[in-house]
């Protein structure tokens, strides 16, 4: 019997709109069995797209398909393109030590090539991580100090490095409160919200 833990490679290409102003980075997607779409934050029980709906449309369900519990990927991409919000994760290759999506049991075998990623986003002025492990990984990649939750630290080349609250429902913070933190990030990047 082979007890070796499989190494997974990131399933999604970086999402980089033209003129991206901010790159939001999680750690790594959950297992495919948890996906409701083939895109970032695919788990219906993650608050990311509900929070983005609240922030930009004053409606937590704005990024769902009409009359459905499925995310509307076209509407999501339209929002990201319009606002200049790029998405990628800090882990490129990982091992799941407990066969689940918890960052606590995720080993990053190979981090993302951040330099190559940023070379595709000349107007990007901020990096934001959605959780503690992503923040620690990004700090290692940039040689910066991991910010406290909800705060910003200066990074290399004038970048603002933010650590945002996790959008996992396991993180004990109301959706509206998470949205307030992300509103500060977007305002710092010159991105208007509806809140």
């Amino acid at each position: 019997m082979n007890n070796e833990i499989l190494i997974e490679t990131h399933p999604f290409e970086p999402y980089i709109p033209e003129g991206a102003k901010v790159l939001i980075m999680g750690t790594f997607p959950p297992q495919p069995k948890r996906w409701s779409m083939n895109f970032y934050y695919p788990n219906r029980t993650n608050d990311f797209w509900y929070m983005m709906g609240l922030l930009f449309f004053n409606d937590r369900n704005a990024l769902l398909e009409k009359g459905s519990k499925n995310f509307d990927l076209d509407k999501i991409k339209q929002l990201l393109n319009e606002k200049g919000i790029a998405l990628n994760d800090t882990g490129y290759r990982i091992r799941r030590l407990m066969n689940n999506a918890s960052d606590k049991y995720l080993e990053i075998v190979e981090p993302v090539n951040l330099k190559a990623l940023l070379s595709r986003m000349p107007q990007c002025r901020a990096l934001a991580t959605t959780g503690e492990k992503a923040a620690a990984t990004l700090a290692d990649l940039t040689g910066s100090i991991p910010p406290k939750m909800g705060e910003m630290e200066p990074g290399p080349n004038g970048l603002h490095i933010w650590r945002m609250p996790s959008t996992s429902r396991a993180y004990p913070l109301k959706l509206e409160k998470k949205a307030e933190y992300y509103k500060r990030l977007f305002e710092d990047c010159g991105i208007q919200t509806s809140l």
Side-chain angles (χ1 to χ4, degrees), residues 32-118:
K33 66 183 178 185
R34 302 209 179 276
W35 297 359
S36 64
M37 62 177 173
N38 292 322
F39 197 64
Y40 292 88
Y41 304 98
N43 189 338
R44 268 193 217 80
T45 61
N46 187 293
D47 278 334
F48 189 83
W49 297 117
Y50 301 104
M51 180 193 68
M52 295 291 274
L54 190 60
L55 275 170
F56 292 105
F57 301 97
N58 283 316
D59 176 5
R60 63 173 282 133
N61 295 319
L63 296 172
L64 295 176
E65 293 174 354
K66 292 260 187 265
S68 169
K69 291 184 178 182
N70 296 322
F71 294 117
D72 186 331
L73 188 51
D74 290 338
K75 194 168 185 181
I76 285 170
K77 288 182 176 180
Q78 183 180 345
L79 172 66
L80 297 174
N81 293 344
E82 183 183 303
K83 299 296 183 180
I85 300 169
L87 300 175
N88 200 216
D89 287 315
T90 54
Y92 179 64
R93 287 197 170 90
I94 60 98
R95 280 189 191 96
R96 295 183 202 277
L97 304 179
M98 295 296 287
N99 199 31
N100 63 27
S102 171
D103 278 2
K104 186 176 178 182
Y105 302 110
L106 206 64
E107 175 192 353
I108 295 181
V109 175
E110 181 184 339
V112 68
N113 183 338
L114 186 63
K115 186 176 180 183
L117 200 54
L118 290 175

Side-chain angles (χ1 to χ4, degrees), residues 117-179:
L117 200 54
L118 290 175
S119 74
R120 297 170 56 189
M121 294 181 276
Q123 295 172 38
C124 182
R125 294 292 166 259
L127 306 176
T129 55
T130 59
E132 187 175 1
K133 188 174 205 91
T137 304
L138 184 61
D140 288 346
L141 290 172
T142 58
S144 61
I145 299 166
K148 291 181 180 155
M149 200 284 290
E151 295 186 10
M152 184 270 292
E153 288 286 341
N157 304 317
L159 282 169
H160 289 182
I161 298 179
W162 289 80
R163 177 176 161 204
M164 308 313 293
S166 169
T167 54
S168 165
R169 292 207 183 144
Y171 189 79
L173 195 64
K174 286 185 180 284
L175 180 68
E176 293 76 12
K177 193 69 180 163
K178 290 178 185 181

